[in-house]
């Protein structure tokens, strides 16, 4: 009986820790969203989007632990691949825009 109470107290402590972690990550996610909207540079926005992807992955893993559902970890792995590809595409688009702007600036300086 004593062991059962200790186990339930430990589970309650873990549950509280998981919920606190989820709330903290949600607040940080909102702050990253604000950073990705406000900038000031495109590189800051790309880093903020990457951080948001990472935090969402951590949220999914914490939910997996909280709900005791193992399949959520598989969803997290799929989300990690999609997040990685989106950051690569965003960086590629940004580099293309940067190159075009640089070429235009060099063309106007010569004239």
């Amino acid at each position: 009986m004593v062991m059962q109470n200790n186990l339930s107290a430990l589970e309650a402590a873990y549950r509280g820790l998981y919920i606190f972690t989820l709330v903290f990550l949600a607040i940080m996610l909102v702050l990253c969203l604000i950073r990705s909207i406000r900038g000031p540079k495109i590189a800051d926005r790309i880093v903020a989007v990457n951080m948001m992807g990472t935090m969402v992955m951590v949220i999914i893993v914490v939910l997996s632990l909280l709900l005791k559902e193992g399949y959520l970890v598989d969803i997290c792995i799929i989300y990690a691949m999609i997040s990685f590809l989106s950051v690569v595409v965003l960086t590629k688009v940004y580099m293309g825009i940067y190159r075009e702007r640089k070429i235009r600036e060099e063309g106007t300086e010569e004239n």
Side-chain angles (χ1 to χ4, degrees):
M1 188 104 179
V2 174
M3 186 65 138
Q4 187 73 355
N5 289 337
N6 287 338
L7 186 61
S8 64
L10 185 62
E11 287 177 357
Y14 274 124
R15 185 174 179 83
L17 180 66
Y18 292 153
I19 291 173
F20 172 76
T21 304
L22 288 172
V23 170
F24 179 74
L25 286 171
I27 292 169
M28 295 305 293
L29 195 63
V30 170
L31 292 175
C32 281
L33 180 65
I34 292 170
R35 174 54 61 195
S36 69
I37 292 171
R38 291 188 67 198
K41 296 181 182 178
I42 294 179
D44 296 331
R45 292 179 176 141
I46 292 173
V47 170
V49 168
N50 191 20
M51 283 180 59
M52 287 171 54
T54 303
M55 279 193 261
V56 167
M57 286 184 277
V58 173
I59 287 172
I60 292 171
V61 170
V62 171
L63 280 174
S64 172
L65 291 171
L66 181 65
L67 301 174
K68 296 177 184 163
E69 298 290 341
Y71 69 90
L72 289 175
V73 177
D74 298 332
I75 293 172
C76 181
I77 292 170
I78 293 169
Y79 187 84
M81 289 185 287
I82 292 171
S83 176
F84 171 74
L85 288 175
S86 68
V87 170
V88 168
V89 168
L90 283 172
T91 305
K92 188 77 170 169
V93 168
Y94 170 66
M95 291 304 294
I97 292 170
Y98 177 77
R99 283 188 193 122
E100 287 178 11
R101 191 177 298 159
K102 194 81 162 168
I103 291 170
R104 270 190 259 138
E105 287 176 2
E106 289 175 359
T108 57
E109 288 177 4
E110 290 176 2
N111 291 334

